[in-house]
């Protein structure tokens, strides 16, 4: 049943959680076991959990002995190819104590737009969840040039939530909630709830935040959250450090009410 409020996350049957590169790559890789522990707790109560995880390129950079994120497409693709295997390995090692098996699913937005590919993806993910495997979804960076150049996986998280008809989507960020202005600006206030039909034209969401390992920002999360909410999926945007509280239904972050 669709999560109508944050509290419903504690009992939701099917949840998609999206985490970005900056939260789990490089010096932040310590957060993977913390994230996994929270996902495992939801899994243990019987929930079907899907993780949409960025981080392939960022994880691959040190293995290619690069000093920074590459700017040319071919090297980005090479870093993604190397990093994706290590990223899933790190997740699987963290899942091992909980006796949970991870399943890698690489998609492009094109896969979800093509009816045949979309049907195949849905069937595979339904079977993985039925087998109590935790699907780990990422953009197929070796071929998805648009994602590498312009976006993050927030939109992919929303599309996956739609694909599997999730009860809720949790978009993990670097900050606890969205703000009426960039949080560093004077007068910026945290946003508690955004109604499905809310007019957001008066709010100032940063168009893009780019750091050394990932791309994305408040604007991409708002766009993805509204996409999912319009499909009747409740969405929570909050900090990656609060994922355990988010899955427990705590009153944190910014909640996007699902359309009826």
């Amino acid at each position: 049943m669709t999560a109508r409020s944050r509290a419903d996350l504690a009992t939701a049957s099917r949840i998609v959680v999206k985490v970005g590169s900056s939260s789990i790559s490089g010096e932040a890789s310590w957060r993977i076991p913390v994230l996994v522990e929270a996902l495992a707790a939801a899994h243990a109560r019987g929930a079907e959990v899907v993780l949409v995880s960025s981080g392939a390129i960022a994880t691959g950079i040190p293995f290619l002995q690069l000093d920074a994120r590459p700017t040319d497409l071919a090297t980005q693709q090479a870093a993604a190819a190397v990093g994706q295997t290590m990223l899933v390995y790190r997740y699987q090692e963290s899942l091992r104590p909980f006796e949970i098996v991870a399943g890698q699913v690489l998609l492009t937005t094109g896969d979800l737009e093509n009816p045949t590919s979309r049907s195949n993806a849905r069937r595979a993910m339904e079977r993985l969840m039925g087998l109590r495997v935790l699907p780990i979804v990422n953009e197929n960076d070796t071929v998805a040039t648009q994602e590498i150049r312009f976006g993050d996986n927030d939109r992919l998280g929303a599309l996956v939530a739609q694909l599997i008809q999730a009860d809720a989507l949790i978009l993990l960020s670097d900050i606890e909630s969205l703000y009426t202005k960039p949080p560093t600006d004077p007068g910026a206030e945290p946003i508690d709830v955004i109604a499905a039909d809310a007019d957001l034209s008066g709010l100032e969401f940063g168009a893009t935040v780019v750091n050394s390992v990932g791309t994305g920002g408040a604007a991409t999360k708002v766009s993805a959250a509204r996409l999912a909410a319009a499909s009747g999926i409740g969405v929570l945007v909050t900090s990656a450090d609060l994922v355990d509280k988010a899955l427990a239904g705590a009153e944190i972050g910014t909640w996007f009410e699902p359309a009826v």
Side-chain angles (χ1 to χ4, degrees):
M1 181 178 294
T2 296
R4 311 303 306 183
S5 68
R6 294 176 182 87
D8 292 337
L9 289 172
T11 56
S13 298
R14 183 172 288 187
I15 307 168
V16 175
V17 178
K18 183 269 172 181
V19 66
S21 298
S22 63
S23 296
I24 47 89
S25 302
E27 294 181 356
S29 60
W30 61 267
R31 195 177 278 109
I32 287 179
V34 178
L35 171 62
V36 163
E37 184 175 0
L39 300 180
H43 187 276
R45 68 165 175 79
E48 295 175 331
V49 183
V50 174
L51 176 64
V52 176
S53 175
S54 302
I57 295 175
T59 301
I61 288 173
F63 291 96
L64 299 182
Q65 299 182 345
L66 301 174
D67 295 328
R69 183 184 175 95
T71 56
D72 68 290
L73 182 58
T75 309
Q76 289 175 351
Q77 292 170 324
V82 172
Q84 185 63 35
T85 58
M86 182 54 67
L87 182 62
V88 172
Y89 171 79
R90 289 173 177 173
Y91 277 122
Q92 183 59 73
E93 285 301 290
S94 296
L95 286 164
R96 194 178 306 280
F98 304 100
E99 299 183 347
I100 299 173
V101 174
Q104 177 178 266
V105 180
L106 297 178
L107 297 170
T108 66
T109 52
D111 292 330
L112 300 182
E113 292 169 354
N114 179 280
T116 300
S117 298
R118 181 180 175 86
S119 177
N120 288 338
R122 181 191 296 112
R123 182 173 61 246
M125 292 184 68
E126 289 282 355
R127 187 60 181 136
L128 285 169
M129 290 185 290
L131 292 168
R132 300 301 288 155
V133 171
L134 193 153
I136 299 177
V137 183
N138 196 0
E139 186 97 8
N140 191 347
D141 289 343
T142 58
V143 298
T145 58
Q146 182 178 8
E147 188 276 342
I148 289 175
R149 290 173 176 168
F150 302 118
D152 198 14
N153 277 348
D154 296 307
R155 179 175 173 82
L156 180 61
L159 293 174
V160 169
Q162 290 178 332
L163 177 73
I164 65 171
Q165 297 180 311
D167 297 320
L169 168 64
I170 299 176
L171 297 175
L172 298 177
S173 177
D174 295 329
I175 56 178
E176 183 173 344
S177 66
L178 296 173
Y179 286 78
T180 53
K181 300 179 180 180
T184 55
D185 288 4
E189 297 180 357
I191 301 172
D192 182 41
V193 176
I194 295 179
D197 59 351
D199 180 5
L200 304 184
S201 59
L203 303 179
E204 300 176 19
F205 298 113
T208 306
V209 173
V210 181
N211 52 40
S212 61
V213 297
T215 61
T220 66
K221 287 176 174 55
V222 171
S223 177
R226 300 215 84 176
L227 175 64
S231 301
I233 300 168
V235 184
L236 180 69
V237 178
T238 194
S239 167
D241 291 330
L242 301 176
V243 61
D244 55 339
K245 293 182 178 179
L247 287 165
E251 290 293 319
I252 58 173
T254 300
W255 177 255
F256 287 76
E257 293 182 340
V260 177

